[in-house]
mmCIF file of all heavy atoms in Angstrom:
data_model
loop_
_atom_site.group_PDB
_atom_site.id
_atom_site.type_symbol
_atom_site.label_atom_id
_atom_site.label_comp_id
_atom_site.label_asym_id
_atom_site.label_seq_id
_atom_site.Cartn_x
_atom_site.Cartn_y
_atom_site.Cartn_z
ATOM 1 N N GLU A 1 20.056 -33.356 -22.071
ATOM 2 C CA GLU A 1 20.332 -34.771 -21.638
ATOM 3 C C GLU A 1 21.693 -35.292 -22.149
ATOM 4 O O GLU A 1 21.998 -36.440 -21.955
ATOM 5 C CB GLU A 1 19.228 -35.696 -22.176
ATOM 6 C CG GLU A 1 17.883 -35.332 -21.719
ATOM 7 C CD GLU A 1 16.736 -36.195 -22.386
ATOM 8 O OE1 GLU A 1 16.312 -35.795 -23.477
ATOM 9 O OE2 GLU A 1 16.416 -37.240 -21.838
ATOM 10 N N ILE A 2 22.454 -34.379 -22.766
ATOM 11 C CA ILE A 2 23.731 -34.805 -23.386
ATOM 12 C C ILE A 2 24.891 -34.010 -22.744
ATOM 13 O O ILE A 2 24.852 -32.812 -22.565
ATOM 14 C CB ILE A 2 23.727 -34.440 -24.895
ATOM 15 C CG1 ILE A 2 22.540 -35.146 -25.571
ATOM 16 C CG2 ILE A 2 25.027 -34.888 -25.561
ATOM 17 C CD1 ILE A 2 22.333 -34.695 -27.013
ATOM 18 N N ALA A 3 25.966 -34.763 -22.390
ATOM 19 C CA ALA A 3 27.241 -34.128 -21.940
ATOM 20 C C ALA A 3 28.204 -34.315 -23.100
ATOM 21 O O ALA A 3 28.031 -35.100 -24.030
ATOM 22 C CB ALA A 3 27.736 -34.836 -20.690
ATOM 23 N N GLY A 4 29.296 -33.529 -23.023
ATOM 24 C CA GLY A 4 30.311 -33.549 -24.116
ATOM 25 C C GLY A 4 31.660 -33.826 -23.552
ATOM 26 O O GLY A 4 32.024 -33.291 -22.473
ATOM 27 N N VAL A 5 32.429 -34.663 -24.240
ATOM 28 C CA VAL A 5 33.810 -34.986 -23.778
ATOM 29 C C VAL A 5 34.767 -34.905 -25.009
ATOM 30 O O VAL A 5 34.529 -35.509 -26.013
ATOM 31 C CB VAL A 5 33.901 -36.371 -23.132
ATOM 32 C CG1 VAL A 5 35.363 -36.690 -22.832
ATOM 33 C CG2 VAL A 5 33.068 -36.394 -21.851
ATOM 34 N N VAL A 6 35.872 -34.147 -24.802
ATOM 35 C CA VAL A 6 36.921 -34.098 -25.775
ATOM 36 C C VAL A 6 37.905 -35.246 -25.525
ATOM 37 O O VAL A 6 38.434 -35.322 -24.425
ATOM 38 C CB VAL A 6 37.647 -32.730 -25.731
ATOM 39 C CG1 VAL A 6 38.803 -32.695 -26.787
ATOM 40 C CG2 VAL A 6 36.676 -31.569 -25.947
ATOM 41 N N LEU A 7 38.188 -36.070 -26.495
ATOM 42 C CA LEU A 7 39.130 -37.179 -26.371
ATOM 43 C C LEU A 7 40.546 -36.562 -26.656
ATOM 44 O O LEU A 7 40.844 -36.273 -27.781
ATOM 45 C CB LEU A 7 38.832 -38.275 -27.304
ATOM 46 C CG LEU A 7 37.398 -38.892 -27.099
ATOM 47 C CD1 LEU A 7 37.192 -39.981 -28.138
ATOM 48 C CD2 LEU A 7 37.141 -39.399 -25.735
ATOM 49 N N ALA A 8 41.338 -36.475 -25.619
ATOM 50 C CA ALA A 8 42.685 -35.884 -25.738
ATOM 51 C C ALA A 8 43.760 -36.680 -25.046
ATOM 52 O O ALA A 8 44.805 -36.170 -24.654
ATOM 53 C CB ALA A 8 42.639 -34.468 -25.161
ATOM 54 N N GLY A 9 43.538 -38.000 -24.993
ATOM 55 C CA GLY A 9 44.487 -38.841 -24.263
ATOM 56 C C GLY A 9 45.376 -39.651 -25.192
ATOM 57 O O GLY A 9 46.016 -40.594 -24.699
ATOM 58 N N GLY A 10 45.476 -39.347 -26.465
ATOM 59 C CA GLY A 10 46.253 -40.130 -27.356
ATOM 60 C C GLY A 10 47.751 -39.903 -27.167
ATOM 61 O O GLY A 10 48.169 -39.024 -26.477
ATOM 62 N N ARG A 11 48.552 -40.745 -27.882
ATOM 63 C CA ARG A 11 49.983 -40.677 -27.745
ATOM 64 C C ARG A 11 50.654 -39.561 -28.470
ATOM 65 O O ARG A 11 51.756 -39.161 -28.146
ATOM 66 C CB ARG A 11 50.562 -42.057 -28.236
ATOM 67 C CG ARG A 11 50.194 -43.231 -27.430
ATOM 68 C CD ARG A 11 50.747 -44.509 -28.047
ATOM 69 N NE ARG A 11 50.320 -45.733 -27.377
ATOM 70 C CZ ARG A 11 50.863 -46.292 -26.350
ATOM 71 N NH1 ARG A 11 51.977 -45.668 -25.791
ATOM 72 N NH2 ARG A 11 50.403 -47.361 -25.803
ATOM 73 N N SER A 12 50.016 -39.031 -29.523
ATOM 74 C CA SER A 12 50.577 -37.935 -30.319
ATOM 75 C C SER A 12 51.971 -38.288 -30.910
ATOM 76 O O SER A 12 52.810 -37.370 -31.028
ATOM 77 C CB SER A 12 50.662 -36.618 -29.501
ATOM 78 O OG SER A 12 49.372 -36.287 -29.022
ATOM 79 N N GLN A 13 52.202 -39.509 -31.230
ATOM 80 C CA GLN A 13 53.529 -39.860 -31.664
ATOM 81 C C GLN A 13 53.966 -39.190 -32.967
ATOM 82 O O GLN A 13 55.145 -38.756 -33.098
ATOM 83 C CB GLN A 13 53.554 -41.444 -31.900
ATOM 84 C CG GLN A 13 53.484 -42.182 -30.586
ATOM 85 C CD GLN A 13 53.455 -43.701 -30.798
ATOM 86 O OE1 GLN A 13 52.752 -44.205 -31.665
ATOM 87 N NE2 GLN A 13 54.191 -44.420 -30.004
ATOM 88 N N ARG A 14 53.084 -39.084 -33.919
ATOM 89 C CA ARG A 14 53.421 -38.459 -35.200
ATOM 90 C C ARG A 14 53.607 -36.935 -35.131
ATOM 91 O O ARG A 14 54.355 -36.355 -35.920
ATOM 92 C CB ARG A 14 52.397 -38.823 -36.267
ATOM 93 C CG ARG A 14 52.346 -40.280 -36.588
ATOM 94 C CD ARG A 14 51.105 -40.626 -37.423
ATOM 95 N NE ARG A 14 51.061 -39.919 -38.682
ATOM 96 C CZ ARG A 14 49.940 -39.894 -39.477
ATOM 97 N NH1 ARG A 14 48.860 -40.533 -39.054
ATOM 98 N NH2 ARG A 14 49.985 -39.248 -40.609
ATOM 99 N N MET A 15 53.016 -36.368 -34.125
ATOM 100 C CA MET A 15 53.205 -34.925 -33.925
ATOM 101 C C MET A 15 54.523 -34.665 -33.236
ATOM 102 O O MET A 15 55.106 -33.519 -33.430
ATOM 103 C CB MET A 15 51.995 -34.348 -33.024
ATOM 104 C CG MET A 15 52.105 -32.872 -32.759
ATOM 105 S SD MET A 15 51.967 -31.845 -34.293
ATOM 106 C CE MET A 15 50.280 -31.985 -34.662
ATOM 107 N N GLY A 16 54.989 -35.500 -32.352
ATOM 108 C CA GLY A 16 56.247 -35.305 -31.676
ATOM 109 C C GLY A 16 56.067 -34.645 -30.307
ATOM 110 O O GLY A 16 56.965 -34.559 -29.489
ATOM 111 N N HIS A 17 54.833 -34.177 -29.989
ATOM 112 C CA HIS A 17 54.539 -33.613 -28.707
ATOM 113 C C HIS A 17 53.015 -33.638 -28.539
ATOM 114 O O HIS A 17 52.339 -33.974 -29.494
ATOM 115 C CB HIS A 17 55.030 -32.167 -28.569
ATOM 116 C CG HIS A 17 54.532 -31.238 -29.672
ATOM 117 N ND1 HIS A 17 53.324 -30.602 -29.634
ATOM 118 C CD2 HIS A 17 55.124 -30.891 -30.886
ATOM 119 C CE1 HIS A 17 53.159 -29.888 -30.729
ATOM 120 N NE2 HIS A 17 54.203 -30.041 -31.488
ATOM 121 N N ASP A 18 52.568 -33.285 -27.354
ATOM 122 C CA ASP A 18 51.115 -33.398 -27.070
ATOM 123 C C ASP A 18 50.292 -32.472 -28.004
ATOM 124 O O ASP A 18 50.479 -31.303 -28.079
ATOM 125 C CB ASP A 18 50.878 -32.950 -25.605
ATOM 126 C CG ASP A 18 49.412 -33.037 -25.233
ATOM 127 O OD1 ASP A 18 48.712 -33.880 -25.747
ATOM 128 O OD2 ASP A 18 48.982 -32.159 -24.416
ATOM 129 N N LYS A 19 49.377 -33.106 -28.744
ATOM 130 C CA LYS A 19 48.569 -32.379 -29.726
ATOM 131 C C LYS A 19 47.662 -31.344 -29.080
ATOM 132 O O LYS A 19 47.437 -30.281 -29.617
ATOM 133 C CB LYS A 19 47.785 -33.361 -30.595
ATOM 134 C CG LYS A 19 48.542 -34.042 -31.679
ATOM 135 C CD LYS A 19 47.645 -34.737 -32.665
ATOM 136 C CE LYS A 19 47.104 -35.992 -32.145
ATOM 137 N NZ LYS A 19 46.416 -36.802 -33.201
ATOM 138 N N ALA A 20 47.162 -31.711 -27.926
ATOM 139 C CA ALA A 20 46.162 -30.815 -27.207
ATOM 140 C C ALA A 20 46.743 -29.451 -27.014
ATOM 141 O O ALA A 20 46.045 -28.448 -27.137
ATOM 142 C CB ALA A 20 45.711 -31.431 -25.927
ATOM 143 N N GLY A 21 48.008 -29.306 -26.729
ATOM 144 C CA GLY A 21 48.653 -28.060 -26.454
ATOM 145 C C GLY A 21 49.221 -27.351 -27.678
ATOM 146 O O GLY A 21 49.729 -26.240 -27.607
ATOM 147 N N ALA A 22 49.180 -28.002 -28.847
ATOM 148 C CA ALA A 22 49.683 -27.398 -30.078
ATOM 149 C C ALA A 22 48.921 -26.160 -30.415
ATOM 150 O O ALA A 22 47.672 -26.106 -30.270
ATOM 151 C CB ALA A 22 49.630 -28.452 -31.249
ATOM 152 N N MET A 23 49.584 -25.096 -30.851
ATOM 153 C CA MET A 23 48.900 -23.860 -31.127
ATOM 154 C C MET A 23 48.427 -23.751 -32.554
ATOM 155 O O MET A 23 49.164 -24.039 -33.531
ATOM 156 C CB MET A 23 49.895 -22.664 -30.806
ATOM 157 C CG MET A 23 50.335 -22.583 -29.367
ATOM 158 S SD MET A 23 48.976 -22.411 -28.193
ATOM 159 C CE MET A 23 48.392 -20.755 -28.569
ATOM 160 N N LEU A 24 47.195 -23.328 -32.738
ATOM 161 C CA LEU A 24 46.560 -23.093 -33.976
ATOM 162 C C LEU A 24 46.058 -21.642 -33.934
ATOM 163 O O LEU A 24 45.099 -21.366 -33.230
ATOM 164 C CB LEU A 24 45.427 -24.077 -34.262
ATOM 165 C CG LEU A 24 44.641 -23.846 -35.546
ATOM 166 C CD1 LEU A 24 45.481 -23.960 -36.759
ATOM 167 C CD2 LEU A 24 43.411 -24.808 -35.628
ATOM 168 N N GLY A 25 46.738 -20.810 -34.667
ATOM 169 C CA GLY A 25 46.448 -19.379 -34.507
ATOM 170 C C GLY A 25 46.912 -18.988 -33.107
ATOM 171 O O GLY A 25 47.951 -19.298 -32.664
ATOM 172 N N ALA A 26 46.025 -18.275 -32.411
ATOM 173 C CA ALA A 26 46.370 -17.778 -31.077
ATOM 174 C C ALA A 26 45.950 -18.710 -29.932
ATOM 175 O O ALA A 26 46.189 -18.370 -28.769
ATOM 176 C CB ALA A 26 45.754 -16.438 -30.855
ATOM 177 N N GLU A 27 45.381 -19.845 -30.316
ATOM 178 C CA GLU A 27 44.814 -20.765 -29.241
ATOM 179 C C GLU A 27 45.291 -22.172 -29.447
ATOM 180 O O GLU A 27 45.637 -22.586 -30.601
ATOM 181 C CB GLU A 27 43.278 -20.708 -29.225
ATOM 182 C CG GLU A 27 42.676 -19.323 -28.919
ATOM 183 C CD GLU A 27 41.220 -19.377 -28.912
ATOM 184 O OE1 GLU A 27 40.604 -19.969 -29.756
ATOM 185 O OE2 GLU A 27 40.576 -18.740 -27.977
ATOM 186 N N SER A 28 45.268 -22.949 -28.341
ATOM 187 C CA SER A 28 45.640 -24.355 -28.450
ATOM 188 C C SER A 28 44.567 -25.145 -29.200
ATOM 189 O O SER A 28 43.402 -24.689 -29.217
ATOM 190 C CB SER A 28 45.851 -24.937 -27.097
ATOM 191 O OG SER A 28 44.619 -24.983 -26.349
ATOM 192 N N LEU A 29 44.907 -26.294 -29.726
ATOM 193 C CA LEU A 29 43.885 -27.172 -30.317
ATOM 194 C C LEU A 29 42.815 -27.475 -29.354
ATOM 195 O O LEU A 29 41.617 -27.467 -29.639
ATOM 196 C CB LEU A 29 44.516 -28.482 -30.843
ATOM 197 C CG LEU A 29 45.292 -28.388 -32.140
ATOM 198 C CD1 LEU A 29 45.834 -29.776 -32.498
ATOM 199 C CD2 LEU A 29 44.427 -27.841 -33.255
#
């Protein structure tokens, strides 16, 4: 009865680029 949603629409200002695509190890966040 539960769906899941990743919140990835933030500004990422402190990162300097889109956090969702930042690489951690061999995969994106």
Side-chain angles (χ1 to χ4, degrees):
E1 300 173 274
I2 304 171
V5 173
V6 179
L7 303 180
R11 296 178 185 271
S12 302
Q13 290 177 317
R14 293 166 62 191
M15 180 63 76
H17 56 84
D18 179 34
K19 283 192 283 191
M23 298 301 292
L24 176 60
E27 296 181 319
S28 69
L29 282 182

